[in-house]
Amino acid sequence: MSPNEIARVSQFSRWMCLDFEVEHPHQGGGTPIEAKASRTLANTMLALQVVAPVGCYIFDIFIQSGDTSLNLYQIDHNQVLTSAGCARMSGAGALSPGEIEKVVDGVLALIETEQPRLNTPLGLLLNGMSGGDIYVKTLLWVAAMDSILMAEKAKVFKQRLCKILGPETEVFPGLEAQGVPPYSVDDLASDIYILRNQIAHGGVILSRFLELPPVSSARNINASCPGLLTYANVLHEASIMLLCRLLRHIILQDMLPVFTDLKQWERLLKVK
């Protein structure tokens, strides 16, 4: 390892390890089995982001030989994953270890189907976390939710999101002590979709999205919450929180068999 690589490794505080066997290991690596092992680790990191979308600033995959010495075949430097403030503060919330494992297994199962309809939300989550501009990230994360809800209109998007998650469900649970307002899914769902459409179609962002967040009389929400400077920022924060919550809900509520069957999923989404 070079001095720079040694310095980089010394910064790691968490490790995921995967033990696998190659029939004829050789210096240089690059076998299909090694490539599969790297994909498994990368997919597991993505699954952990669904559990707790906190991002990851250093994520390198080391392939080594033997269990006693650091005889490296190769190092894969993966892209930085960025998140949003509220998502980082929320972490995994109140999820138990068993629920975390169930979500990870569910995400990996979706990836292994290799069906675009099932993989698209995860790809958009990943691409959003790889971007920098909040509008682009918001666009990708709301598009990911729309690929799940198949809404195509703000009204339908709100109806379906409220049906699955519940209209009164808090978007930022447990963050009131940090000054984050208790917005509900019903409060933000429609505006999230409207902002997404403006970004997607190159429209001028509505002035109300560039102002302080609105006050909800039902919850006496304080619009001067720290960190959420404009309403667009609130919607940006909410987009990743709701996307990950939606994916977790589908997995934890044992809805994967329905989600993977298009006709059953369409019947479930219908709102009378």
Side-chain angles (χ1 to χ4, degrees), residues 110-150:
L110 287 175
I111 293 173
E112 289 170 4
T113 66
E114 297 184 349
Q115 295 183 33
R117 185 181 74 84
L118 305 178
N119 293 169
T120 292
L122 298 169
L124 290 170
L125 170 62
L126 179 62
N127 286 326
M129 298 189 79
S130 304
D133 181 88
I134 72 162
Y135 290 117
V136 173
K137 293 158 78 72
T138 302
L139 169 64
L140 293 172
W141 292 334
V142 181
M145 283 189 280
D146 198 26
S147 72
I148 296 172
L149 300 174
M150 299 184 291

Side-chain angles (χ1 to χ4, degrees), residues 36-267:
K36 182 179 180 181
S38 289
R39 286 197 303 273
T40 299
L41 288 171
N43 290 340
T44 302
M45 173 57 76
L46 175 58
L48 288 171
Q49 297 304 315
V50 175
V51 172
V54 298
C56 183
Y57 287 96
I58 302 177
F59 178 45
D60 295 345
I61 296 177
F62 299 83
I63 297 178
Q64 74 176 75
S65 173
D67 56 1
T68 58
S69 63
L70 195 62
N71 179 17
L72 288 178
Y73 284 156
Q74 66 189 64
I75 303 175
D76 295 335
H77 300 294
N78 287 261
Q79 58 198 5
V80 171
L81 300 180
T82 59
S83 183
C86 290
R88 288 194 296 271
M89 287 191 289
S90 296
L95 291 181
S96 68
E99 289 173 324
I100 291 173
E101 185 175 358
K102 185 173 181 178
V103 172
V104 170
D105 288 343
V107 172
L108 293 177
L110 287 175
I111 293 173
E112 289 170 4
T113 66
E114 297 184 349
Q115 295 183 33
R117 185 181 74 84
L118 305 178
N119 293 169
T120 292
L122 298 169
L124 290 170
L125 170 62
L126 179 62
N127 286 326
M129 298 189 79
S130 304
D133 181 88
I134 72 162
Y135 290 117
V136 173
K137 293 158 78 72
T138 302
L139 169 64
L140 293 172
W141 292 334
V142 181
M145 283 189 280
D146 198 26
S147 72
I148 296 172
L149 300 174
M150 299 184 291
E152 299 182 355
K153 294 182 179 179
K155 180 180 179 180
V156 179
F157 179 85
K158 178 177 180 177
Q159 289 174 336
R160 293 181 175 181
L161 190 62
C162 286
K163 178 179 181 180
I164 294 178
L165 295 183
E168 299 302 315
T169 297
E170 285 192 15
V171 177
F172 309 111
L175 295 183
E176 291 87 348
Q178 284 76 34
V180 180
Y183 288 105
S184 69
V185 175
D186 186 70
D187 288 330
L188 301 182
S190 181
D191 281 343
I192 282 177
Y193 201 85
I194 292 170
L195 178 60
R196 174 259 191 189
N197 283 349
Q198 290 186 301
I199 299 168
H201 301 300
V204 177
I205 304 298
L206 293 175
S207 59
R208 66 187 180 91
F209 291 139
L210 304 178
E211 298 169 353
L212 289 175
V215 173
S216 170
S217 57
R219 293 170 183 77
N220 192 27
I221 290 173
N222 179 7
S224 60
C225 52
L228 306 180
L229 302 179
T230 68
Y231 192 29
N233 288 107
V234 172
L235 300 177
H236 164 66
E237 296 274 352
S239 61
I240 187 171
M241 295 285 287
L242 289 173
L243 169 57
C244 292
R245 179 185 286 272
L246 185 58
L247 288 166
R248 291 196 302 267
H249 184 86
I250 290 171
I251 295 168
L252 292 175
Q253 298 302 314
D254 298 316
M255 299 168 68
L256 277 180
V258 177
F259 180 54
T260 54
D261 185 307
L262 180 58
K263 291 184 178 179
Q264 289 190 61
W265 186 245
E266 287 177 330
R267 285 197 294 270

